Amino acid sequence: MPTCLINGHSSELISSYDRGLLYGDGLFETMAVVDGMVPLWQLHLDRLHRGCEKLHLACPAPNELQQEVEQLASKSDRAIMKLILTRGVGGRGYLSPPVPAPTRILQFHPWPELPRSNWETGIKAIFCAQRLARQPVLAGIKHLNRLEQVLARAEWQDPTIQEGLLANTEGDIIEAVSHNLFIVKENGLVTPDLQFCGVAGVMREYILKLVMEKGISVQIATLSRQDVLAAEAVFLCNSVHGIWPVCELDGKHYQQNDLVYALRDAVAQMIPYP
Amino acid sequence: MPTCLINGHSSELISSYDRGLLYGDGLFETMAVVDGMVPLWQLHLDRLHRGCEKLHLACPAPNELQQEVEQLASKSDRAIMKLILTRGVGGRGYLSPPVPAPTRILQFHPWPELPRSNWETGIKAIFCAQRLARQPVLAGIKHLNRLEQVLARAEWQDPTIQEGLLANTEGDIIEAVSHNLFIVKENGLVTPDLQFCGVAGVMREYILKLVMEKGISVQIATLSRQDVLAAEAVFLCNSVHGIWPVCELDGKHYQQNDLVYALRDAVAQMIPYP
């Protein structure tokens, strides 16, 4: 069984002249595999398309991608799949080649061992000092320029802390290092605006749709540090973990919240937790 | 003769799990080779060190690097060498492995064919629409997160335009896509402040030292688009091209300028132009 496909061929190696390495000139998707399938496949594909449009990159044919995903995923009841798409080799410095030959990388990762308590009682988070730069052109898409996240994640080594929240340069809270953020306020949800920075997570989108269908009020708004600390509840989400309630943030403890648990359970029907 | 060394071994391939590809988690240096030597070697090494400090990355031993550079460069009277240093493979998501094993890539490129007029009469430049985000933590260093430059360089296809100037989100001019910028004003020089964005070019540093030794006044300051258009002269510099006068910017023509030509010639003694 291959664990990595490069342009459809079993290999782990790419050219060191690939623009994905030279400039971070590309995109990625990190996807949960459940029973040989990617539950949020269409949302991942839609975001990849949006990223391709922003970067003027040709998107691979969906059926070709799906075939490769199935080839790697078919034998797994639980796994993580990472798709990386780069502009490939070539061009003159930053100038893209006239007809780029994109590199398509699909990596299979075993499901990570994580404590059940992350879902049950919730996780402990901090505020990171690292700020997210304001760059509307790159906001929302999942591109390969991720040094801000690498530097933010380097801020703590304590294994009891699972996540760090990131603010933009104005101090508004945008997201966590590898998750999007929601708060509960007056029985409704609020999640930060991602127009100027942050990744528009596929699970965030799924949750937005889910709560709107359920008639729960939800706002996309600017959230200060104080708004997050004063919230009734806070939760984080991504397409691999589903929903993690936050039980402690920067020393502040949150009470258990029925809405958060109901949403967590709804998502867990699609991506079960351990 | 190898044209690419990966950790000292002749190869072009790296792991697709390298953090340099996954996150742009690394640095690079693009260096001119003249008669088998890198004229600005020490300045490149110093900047690499500063980048390693900012990214908490172990810097390779200078003598090891120098030996590899000489191995690739020794037979060349003129070439370009690119050094890439990444945090290597591993870690858990954005979290770096406890003891990273950095990847060291050295690539040999032939000298590009460029018209002599770029140095003699100067080049034509435009203002790019793409803005540089304000990120003081990453400003100055030559890291692998270069999507802003890729998008800026995609703004023009006209081969008679050699460069595009980039402003920050406030509209101040910071640099060009692959060059730093100087203007001539009242017989002195001004170059933009790079505290919040931009790459602190090795050739910019060399020129700053050179003009200070010559007693020419030089300021690091905020430059508006209007300041650049109203300048007596404008020039661009990088460690491969040396100095290119700008003869036309956004339709405005600049007169020939003796100070720019004197500096261009001084740099050309070290890195001759065709």
Side-chain angles (χ1 to χ4, degrees), chain A residues 12-14 16 22-23 84 92 94 107 112-113 130-131 133-135 143-148, chain B residues 12-14 16-17 22-23 84 92 94 107 112-113 130-131 133-135 144-148:
Chain A
E12 284 194 9
L13 301 173
I14 64 154
S16 64
L22 300 181
Y23 311 127
I84 303 167
R92 188 167 193 150
Y94 294 120
Q107 297 171 339
E113 291 270 352
Q130 175 66 44
R131 297 294 175 101
R134 187 184 177 91
Q135 181 49 275
H143 56 71
L144 293 171
N145 281 199
R146 292 290 157 208
L147 272 173
E148 290 177 333
Chain B
E12 283 195 8
L13 301 173
I14 64 154
S16 64
Y17 296 90
L22 301 181
Y23 311 127
I84 302 166
R92 186 164 194 154
Y94 294 119
Q107 297 171 338
E113 290 271 350
Q130 174 67 43
R131 297 295 174 99
R134 187 184 177 93
Q135 183 46 278
L144 293 171
N145 281 197
R146 292 291 156 208
L147 272 172
E148 289 176 334

Side-chain angles (χ1 to χ4, degrees), chain B residues 172-185:
Chain B
D172 302 317
I173 304 300
I174 302 295
E175 63 188 1
V177 175
S178 324
H179 294 82
N180 286 114
L181 169 88
F182 281 84
I183 69 164
V184 179
K185 194 181 164 183

Side-chain angles (χ1 to χ4, degrees), chain B residues 226-268:
Chain B
Q226 197 41 46
D227 289 332
V228 178
L229 286 170
E232 290 159 43
V234 174
F235 68 88
L236 303 178
C237 66
N238 74 22
S239 57
V240 172
H241 301 146
I243 285 177
W244 282 355
V246 175
C247 63
E248 189 184 337
L249 171 62
D250 203 32
K252 139 105 196 188
H253 292 263
Y254 296 93
Q255 293 199 320
Q256 299 192 352
N257 184 281
D258 289 344
L259 175 54
V260 174
Y261 284 6
L263 290 171
R264 176 202 64 193
D265 293 345
V267 170

Side-chain angles (χ1 to χ4, degrees), chain A residues 8-25:
Chain A
H9 302 287
S10 175
S11 168
E12 284 194 9
L13 301 173
I14 64 154
S15 167
S16 64
Y17 296 91
D18 194 287
R19 297 172 64 93
L21 172 70
L22 300 181
Y23 311 127
D25 191 4

Side-chain angles (χ1 to χ4, degrees), chain B residues 110-146:
Chain B
W111 193 266
E113 290 271 350
L114 289 167
R116 192 175 159 83
S117 59
N118 288 5
W119 289 263
E120 293 283 341
T121 46
I123 62 129
K124 199 169 148 181
I126 55 165
F127 291 106
C128 289
Q130 174 67 43
R131 297 295 174 99
L132 296 172
R134 187 184 177 93
Q135 183 46 278
V137 175
L138 297 175
I141 64 172
K142 205 156 168 118
H143 56 72
L144 293 171
N145 281 197
R146 292 291 156 208

